[in-house]
Amino acid sequence: MSIRLATYYHAKDVPDLPGSNIFHSTELFHVLEQTKGYCPLLLVAYEGDTPIGKLLCILRRSTRLLGFIQKAYAYGVGEYFSSSYRKEEIFRELLSYFTLQFTEKAFVLEFRNLEEPLFGYRYFRQNGYFPIRWLRVRNSLHHDSLDKWMSASRKKQISHGLKNGSVIDVAHTKEDVHVFFNMLRRYYSPKIHRYLPDIGFFSTLVEHSSQCGKIFIVRYKGKIIGGSVCLFSGRDAYLLFSGGMRKSYPLQYPGVLAVWGAILYARSHGCDHFEFIDAGLPFKKYGYRDFILRFGGKQMSSRRWFHVRWRWLNGLLTKIYV
């Protein structure tokens, strides 16, 4: 029996599907659907009437720097279920359709956050993708002491921030989300390499998808001075965004506590690992990676796969990045 693919353009039309990977879930589909500038769709592979794999594809519109551009990407390579087909055979069909669907719509196609760096290597190459080495940072939450591998300076910052009056909480109200978003937008505005979604992403996450994600906020004298956003998938937590008003409140360490609060929550709710979603390219100097490594995580080498719209450029890059 051959593999059949179905495309779902709206979360409300998706039938009940198995799986626990948040990055290919109907819940995240719904959140992205409510976010301005995003156009997600879900590809589902069937063997007969039985779902055997799914891939959440994200088309993002951006007006920064180069004017109006679109980027299509996926977190990981999908989620797969019991079948007579191998995972890579199912992925081959999903990847071919993804590439066909988005090549003319998006300037660049990207597969990020790969758990298995070599998975699907042959099929990526067959579809004209090229790999770029990327880094990941993951904290293990198994230890009796969460700060076992944490730097001494980071421990002091956490201790001082709490002693100086900072309080870590979970955002529950629209007002908290709006204040947090405005603070985070000011923090991200000068960082042109990071993309911050519209407020619809954050408000929908809090209002309708409390099981798949949380927003953590840091308050000082009632004012929100920092915060972070986490998604939860199975027994793993993923930090998407974090920031704090460190120049205005240096003694409260809001950026540090925003991350620490998310780690504490993940540990207390049964997570085994806490991952920072983007540790960047393997440059020797990268401020954000230095910041997150001080929480005691382990740096791992991975890769991302890319495909650009211009054929001549894509052909050149596939020869360069082998």
Side-chain angles (χ1 to χ4, degrees), residues 86-102:
R86 293 184 299 108
K87 285 172 56 176
E88 287 200 346
E89 292 177 319
I90 305 171
F91 175 66
R92 175 187 60 194
E93 301 299 320
L94 293 172
L95 175 63
S96 297
Y97 187 80
F98 173 91
T99 308
L100 180 65
Q101 179 84 1
F102 291 111

Side-chain angles (χ1 to χ4, degrees), residues 65-264:
L65 289 182
L66 301 177
F68 178 80
I69 60 173
Q70 294 195 110
K71 180 178 186 178
Y73 59 95
Y75 287 99
V77 291
E79 187 173 15
Y80 302 93
F81 318 112
S82 178
S83 169
S84 61
Y85 291 94
R86 293 184 299 108
K87 285 172 56 176
E88 287 200 346
E89 292 177 319
I90 305 171
F91 175 66
R92 175 187 60 194
E93 301 299 320
L94 293 172
L95 175 63
S96 297
Y97 187 80
F98 173 91
T99 308
L100 180 65
Q101 179 84 1
F102 291 111
T103 296
E104 297 302 322
K105 297 179 181 178
F107 172 74
V108 62
L109 313 183
E110 177 186 347
F111 281 80
R112 55 177 67 169
N113 213 52
L114 305 183
E115 292 290 342
E116 303 173 51
L118 295 178
F119 180 87
Y121 185 95
R122 185 174 79 179
Y123 301 122
F124 275 120
R125 283 296 190 180
Q126 288 178 357
N127 282 273
Y129 287 77
F130 56 92
I132 294 181
R133 189 184 167 213
W134 220 268
L135 296 177
R136 303 173 68 176
V137 172
R138 175 177 288 187
N139 287 51
S140 175
L141 306 182
H142 298 296
H143 304 294
D144 293 335
S145 177
L146 266 182
D147 60 2
K148 181 177 181 179
W149 306 110
M150 190 182 295
S151 70
S153 62
R154 183 64 83 233
K155 293 178 185 179
K156 290 180 181 179
Q157 290 169 346
I158 293 172
S159 176
H160 290 167
L162 295 174
K163 287 181 179 179
N164 290 335
S166 295
V167 178
I168 306 170
D169 196 6
V170 177
H172 293 292
T173 67
K174 287 184 178 180
E175 182 180 0
D176 282 347
V177 174
H178 277 265
V179 175
F180 163 76
F181 174 76
N182 288 330
M183 181 279 301
L184 199 63
R185 183 170 56 182
R186 288 193 296 271
Y187 175 80
Y188 271 74
S189 59
K191 296 174 172 55
I192 59 175
H193 62 289
R194 302 298 299 276
Y195 182 87
L196 188 68
D198 177 75
I199 191 172
F201 177 90
F202 304 95
S203 58
T204 307
L205 193 66
V206 169
E207 294 172 13
H208 303 292
S209 303
S210 60
Q211 297 306 311
C212 77
K214 293 286 184 183
I215 295 177
F216 304 93
I217 52 178
V218 179
R219 299 182 194 269
Y220 177 66
K221 295 183 177 180
K223 180 179 180 179
I224 294 177
I225 62 172
S228 59
V229 181
C230 264
L231 294 183
F232 301 94
S233 182
R235 298 180 68 86
D236 294 328
Y238 297 87
L239 186 78
L240 290 185
F241 309 101
S242 69
M245 301 168 65
R246 61 182 180 84
K247 292 183 179 180
S248 300
Y249 299 90
L251 300 180
Q252 281 66 43
Y253 299 100
V256 172
L257 292 182
V259 177
W260 180 238
I263 293 176
L264 286 176

Side-chain angles (χ1 to χ4, degrees), residues 258-277:
V259 177
W260 180 238
I263 293 176
L264 286 176
Y265 182 94
R267 167 71 174 269
S268 65
H269 285 73
C271 291
D272 294 330
H273 299 96
F274 186 93
E275 181 165 335
F276 297 87
I277 204 71

